[in-house]
Amino acid sequence: MRLFATASCGVLATTLLSGVAHAQATDPADRSPAAVETVIVTAQKRAEDVQDVPVSISAFSRSTLEAAGVQDVRDLRRITANLNLTTSLQVTNTRVMIRGIGTAANSAIEPSVATFVDGAYVARVGSLLAGLNDIASVAVLRGPQGTLFGRNASMGAIDLRTGDPSSTFGGEVRGSIGNYGSRRLTGMITGPLTENISGRLSVLAYTLDGYGVNDLDGRRIGQQDSFSVRGGLRWEIAPTLTWTVKGDYQHITGNGRPVLTVLASSVTPTFAANWKARLDPDGPGPLVGQTPYLDRTYSRHVFQEQSGNLNDYQTGVVSDLTWEGPLGHEIKLISAYRDWHDLQLEGSSAIVPIALQSRLSTFDSASHSEELQIVSPTELFGGRINYVAGLYYFKEDYDIDQATDLYPAYCNVFLRNTSTAARVTACNANPLQNAAVSYFDQITKSYAAYLQGTYRITDAIGVTGGVRYTKDKKDGSFRALSVNPTASQANEVTALSVDQDKVTYRIDLTYRPSEDIMLFINHSTGFKSGGFDSSPGTTAVGAANRTFRPETVSDWEVGAKTELFDHRLIANVNFYRTDISDYQFRTFDGVRSRVRNNGELRQQGMEFDLVARPSTPLTLTLSGAYLDSKYLDFRGAPALPGFGTPQDLTGTRPPYAPKWQGAASAQYIGDLVGGMTWLARGDLSFTSSQNLSASADNNPQAIQKGYALLGARLAIRGPRERWEVALAGQNLTSKDVCVGIFNQGNLAAYGIVSNVTGLGVLRCTLNEPRTVALEVKSRF
């Protein structure tokens, strides 16, 4: 309770301080030019000023996203406190984390942070990585959003809104060229098609040569080509009936691999000698074994088989039919469909200088949702009552297929040096192509009903209550076949099924001592249904061990949202305590990676957001987050790689949970002759040290020290911003860090793990290097 005592004191101090500075609220249209920009969000299923929503939210307009250089959903981590997104071995292996909670996405596990595009749920994180094209706004909602957003929003939600068709003709063309062969071209046009129909079309083309070089074959690592097109139609069928349909097609090709280096601090002289011996191609012959680079963690040069081939494409449609019904009620039917396919070839999944084995992974997701909403006007009963109600249906067909090919060196080098002659013979005597295959399929059906209402007890005090009933049913199967016994994969055929339901709820109490100050306290719960582990095993796993339990969340928050000094300063603060039960996390158990329930956690801390306009040309922002994180109970945790005995990590800090995170920016817009202006902006993001062990074993060598990243933008803009020329850069101090750390495969076989310390060789996924680009833009 000490945290909430501190929180109460902090909120009281904010109230007393702001009481001498606040001004009477005015309509946004009447605010002074120096007022902070108003950002509209739909966090409560209705368009509202973000300052009126009693939730911890970071919201960004199109202009802010452009000025901060946000071009990919992963870039949001640079401008949002307590949000982190990282990509590891595959593009699909991307984590989305809020307040240190989130899971890798290249399995059947579902996210704890839900993502929505134009109000429609996006089931798989991997389908969001084609680039942000024509995004009008982004809102990051921290804390359980289970009542209104529902599906898999147990730790928060990311709400992306694309540009709407306009009845006024206009458009934009933007191009950029930068280092590492970066080239980006976007275009948008919108306007009326008939008297009642408006349209919008936007395209994105992007290419990148890659951030790393493989000295083994001279190829670049991370090469990518992306293409995206979005289209929309808005039909005003009648004065009270509007139909908006948006569709998109996105395609990514390239290498599909990040720069993966050896963490030099994890390599001992003994490990280096053993690894070299195990990779000797001819034993005592004249050839000498070669290892990956062991001392160049941050060089962005590797010496290993790391070829790849990515082919990722998807289509999506969102339909929003809105009727202005009786007594000002808004009735919406939101229908959505998304079809995502990802084909990822890892030319050598062993990532050593010899081609030993490759892995071909395919991910296919076809999802469909229907949501019927009733949104009341805010003026019911003299403005005392408003509510939102809805029915929701979601279905997804999801398939994950994997095929492993073995190369001759797997038999005649790796097995010869690490195993028995009998296994070498068996390896060569059996097929090498499709040596091991696995097939996972799952059909998810989810039904939900929700209701949330607000009652203003007085002009200053309001209470909001919400409840949601969710029923999830999942049916699937796992099949594995190994035609080469040395591929270390067991044959298995397992039928899978779960049927679960849950009631989640939310209650808020708000108090407005003035129109510019809102204090709030809320309690909410979250739910993420259980599911199935889709990973092959060295032994048949069975349905019981493949099924993991639901993840549930209980959260308390107290905070304040204030607009001060004639809306020139926004100061928001939020304190929270979140308890997570049966946390779903993919870990390594010493034999294989598997999804399991990682015990009980408590995440508690503080978040704040400050936006200030000391003068009309100058805007300053500062956001920060403090996180106190620990396992309340995690007995039977994964062992360190050199030990076989599970650990008791109760009381320790989970991975991916830095104590401090934050972001700051300063932007100045000055006048030039002839109506032209200039813009200068700097962005700084920072994070404290954290353990990045993907195995959740709290390996002490997997700690990434704290760091800060600097970005900047300098632009000259024409009258009314009709054109712009800008020089922009990210990571300008060229800070090289690991954004993910995981165990090298086959640790024991290579002799690169200690049964004394339990530690072994680790791999590092590098961040993006310093990038600089010249951008030009024209509007019409």
Side-chain angles (χ1 to χ4, degrees):
M1 296 305 292
R2 181 179 300 173
L3 173 69
F4 280 89
T6 304
S8 300
C9 293
V11 171
L12 178 60
T14 302
T15 304
L16 295 176
L17 176 64
S18 59
V20 300
H22 76 268
Q24 186 68 23
T26 58
D27 186 274
D30 298 329
R31 293 181 181 180
S32 72
V36 172
E37 177 185 26
T38 299
V39 180
I40 302 300
V41 297
T42 55
Q44 299 188 119
K45 301 296 185 182
R46 65 174 78 242
E48 298 174 288
D49 185 337
V50 66
Q51 290 299 105
D52 293 331
V53 182
V55 175
S56 179
I57 305 177
S58 290
F60 310 99
S61 66
R62 181 196 300 272
S63 59
T64 298
L65 296 171
E66 291 179 354
V70 175
Q71 299 180 342
D72 185 293
V73 69
R74 287 164 290 192
D75 292 338
L76 292 172
R77 65 194 172 195
R78 293 193 282 101
I79 60 174
T80 310
N82 251 351
L83 172 70
N84 195 13
L85 298 94
T86 62
T87 297
S88 189
L89 279 165
Q90 303 168 317
V91 171
T92 53
N93 189 354
T94 297
R95 298 177 188 268
V96 182
M97 291 163 282
I98 286 181
R99 296 174 177 171
I101 299 297
T103 52
N106 62 336
S107 66
I109 192 171
E110 294 173 309
S112 299
V113 179
T115 305
F116 298 82
V117 177
D118 293 320
Y121 174 64
V122 178
R124 300 295 158 182
V125 176
S127 63
L128 292 168
L129 305 181
L132 296 181
N133 181 24
D134 198 23
I135 299 298
S137 66
V138 175
V140 179
L141 288 69
R142 294 176 286 249
Q145 306 299 320
T147 301
L148 294 180
F149 284 89
R151 182 151 192 80
N152 298 328
S154 56
M155 281 305 298
I158 301 176
D159 188 19
L160 296 96
R161 297 282 168 171
T162 64
D164 288 326
S166 173
S167 58
T168 302
F169 178 77
E172 175 184 291
V173 177
R174 179 192 295 262
S176 69
I177 184 169
N179 56 342
Y180 296 100
S182 169
R183 295 175 295 279
R184 184 183 179 93
L185 178 66
T186 63
M188 182 277 294
I189 187 169
T190 185
L193 300 178
T194 69
E195 183 180 355
N196 299 320
I197 300 177
S198 302
R200 190 181 186 100
L201 179 67
S202 62
V203 295
L204 160 69
Y206 173 71
T207 185
L208 176 72
D209 287 348
Y211 295 133
V213 176
N214 191 345
D215 291 339
L216 183 67
D217 56 18
R219 296 179 179 178
R220 308 262 339 159
I221 299 172
Q223 184 274 329
Q224 178 180 320
D225 290 290
S226 300
F227 175 76
S228 173
V229 57
R230 296 184 186 275
L233 292 173
R234 178 182 175 87
W235 181 16
E236 295 181 1
I237 303 172
T240 59
L241 184 63
T242 303
W243 187 20
T244 302
V245 179
K246 296 181 179 180
D248 64 83
Y249 170 78
Q250 302 175 70
H251 189 201
I252 309 175
T253 60
N255 175 268
R257 308 292 300 279
V259 181
L260 304 171
T261 62
V262 175
L263 191 64
S265 60
S266 69
V267 180
T268 67
T270 300
F271 290 170
N274 289 346
W275 206 355
K276 186 175 182 179
R278 304 303 195 274
L279 292 175
D280 189 339
D282 62 351
L287 301 179
V288 178
Q290 294 179 306
T291 66
Y293 289 146
L294 302 181
D295 57 355
R296 305 186 188 184
T297 304
Y298 306 111
S299 72
R300 302 192 185 278
H301 280 251
V302 301
F303 186 77
Q304 59 204 23
E305 286 284 349
Q306 200 183 322
S307 60
N309 187 25
L310 171 68
N311 188 15
D312 181 293
Y313 57 97
Q314 64 178 300
T315 55
V317 178
V318 179
S319 166
D320 183 338
L321 184 64
T322 300
W323 175 45
E324 299 291 341
L327 302 177
H329 285 71
E330 191 175 74
I331 300 174
K332 286 177 171 283
L333 177 62
I334 300 175
S335 307
Y337 175 79
R338 184 157 298 276
D339 192 6
W340 172 59
H341 304 273
D342 181 277
L343 179 69
Q344 172 74 72
L345 173 65
E346 297 168 82
S348 180
S349 54
I351 47 179
V352 294
I354 302 176
L356 300 179
Q357 62 191 60
S358 66
R359 180 173 62 177
L360 179 65
S361 303
T362 60
F363 302 84
D364 293 289
S365 169
S367 61
H368 164 232
S369 64
E370 298 285 347
E371 184 168 7
L372 178 64
Q373 300 176 3
I374 301 177
V375 182
S376 78
T378 56
E379 299 82 13
L380 284 181
F381 298 97
R384 294 292 186 189
I385 296 177
N386 65 74
Y387 67 89
V388 176
L391 300 172
Y392 181 76
Y393 169 76
F394 172 83
K395 179 184 179 183
E396 182 195 28
D397 293 338
Y398 189 41
D399 298 324
I400 303 175
D401 300 337
Q402 293 188 351
T404 299
D405 289 348
L406 304 179
Y407 296 111
Y410 179 85
C411 307
N412 303 317
V413 177
F414 174 70
L415 287 184
R416 189 201 63 206
N417 293 335
T418 63
S419 190
T420 64
R423 281 179 61 81
V424 174
T425 300
C427 181
N428 284 309
N430 287 281
L432 299 182
Q433 187 173 8
N434 288 328
V437 295
S438 66
Y439 308 94
F440 172 84
D441 62 86
Q442 172 183 280
I443 297 177
T444 299
K445 294 182 179 180
S446 180
Y447 309 85
Y450 60 86
L451 172 65
Q452 177 171 297
T454 298
Y455 174 61
R456 293 186 63 182
I457 301 172
T458 68
D459 289 342
I461 300 175
V463 61
T464 298
V467 63
R468 186 184 188 103
Y469 171 77
T470 301
K471 179 178 177 61
D472 282 3
K473 181 173 176 55
K474 298 180 180 178
D475 294 294
S477 67
F478 178 84
R479 295 164 291 152
L481 175 64
S482 179
V483 297
N484 192 313
T486 65
S488 300
Q489 177 178 296
N491 297 329
E492 181 178 351
V493 178
T494 300
L496 302 164
S497 181
V498 294
D499 192 347
Q500 300 158 343
D501 61 353
K502 184 72 173 180
V503 174
T504 53
Y505 60 89
R506 181 184 195 93
I507 184 167
D508 302 323
L509 179 64
T510 61
Y511 170 58
R512 286 188 176 274
S514 76
E515 288 294 326
D516 296 327
I517 302 170
M518 179 177 69
L519 311 180
F520 64 89
I521 182 170
N522 66 52
H523 174 55
S524 59
T525 61
F527 165 74
K528 185 172 72 165
S529 63
F532 314 121
D533 180 10
S534 59
S535 303
T538 55
T539 60
V541 177
N545 289 326
R546 285 199 175 277
T547 304
F548 50 86
R549 298 183 299 277
E551 175 181 296
T552 57
V553 175
S554 176
D555 178 72
W556 285 91
E557 311 209 3
V558 57
K561 292 194 172 187
T562 67
E563 296 180 86
L564 313 173
F565 304 107
D566 197 20
H567 306 283
R568 289 178 178 234
L569 172 65
I570 287 180
N572 299 336
V573 63
N574 184 66
F575 297 82
Y576 64 90
R577 171 175 286 180
T578 308
D579 289 334
I580 302 106
S581 299
D582 287 322
Y583 176 38
Q584 298 170 4
F585 197 89
R586 194 180 187 195
T587 62
F588 186 72
D589 64 4
V591 178
R592 67 185 183 93
S593 294
R594 67 187 183 99
V595 179
R596 58 182 287 169
N597 295 103
N598 275 24
E600 318 293 312
L601 290 85
R602 171 166 290 169
Q603 310 289 93
Q604 59 183 0
M606 175 271 294
E607 298 150 342
F608 69 87
D609 289 278
L610 302 174
V611 185
R613 293 283 296 273
S615 63
T616 302
L618 179 63
T619 302
L620 304 173
T621 72
L622 176 64
S623 63
Y626 168 77
L627 174 62
D628 175 25
S629 172
K630 69 177 179 180
Y631 288 112
L632 298 180
D633 183 4
F634 194 18
R635 291 164 288 181
L640 290 173
F643 296 151
T645 305
Q647 302 181 81
D648 183 357
L649 294 180
T650 301
T652 64
R653 193 179 192 91
Y656 300 98
K659 183 176 291 186
W660 291 98
Q661 277 185 298
S665 73
Q667 178 175 295
Y668 190 91
I669 300 175
D671 293 327
L672 294 172
V673 297
M676 296 191 302
T677 59
W678 62 276
L679 176 147
R681 180 185 174 97
D683 287 273
L684 182 71
S685 62
F686 56 91
T687 183
S688 62
S689 64
Q690 58 182 313
N691 191 301
L692 296 179
S693 174
S695 301
D697 58 9
N698 278 16
N699 189 322
Q701 291 187 309
I703 294 177
Q704 169 61 56
K705 294 181 180 180
Y707 59 92
L709 300 176
L710 175 66
R713 182 181 186 87
L714 182 62
I716 297 176
R717 307 188 297 185
R720 294 185 295 172
E721 300 183 30
R722 288 296 188 183
W723 57 267
E724 178 178 297
V725 178
L727 184 64
Q730 299 297 336
N731 191 9
L732 291 177
T733 60
S734 196
K735 187 68 176 179
D736 298 319
V737 299
C738 299
V739 294
I741 297 176
F742 59 95
N743 291 321
Q744 166 67 39
N746 297 310
L747 287 170
Y750 288 133
I752 53 176
V753 65
S754 170
N755 58 10
V756 176
T757 65
L759 306 179
V761 172
L762 295 172
R763 286 283 186 162
C764 163
T765 305
L766 281 180
N767 67 326
E768 294 86 357
R770 176 169 53 208
T771 59
V772 180
L774 178 66
E775 302 178 1
V776 294
K777 178 178 67 176
S778 176
R779 290 178 176 170
F780 55 88

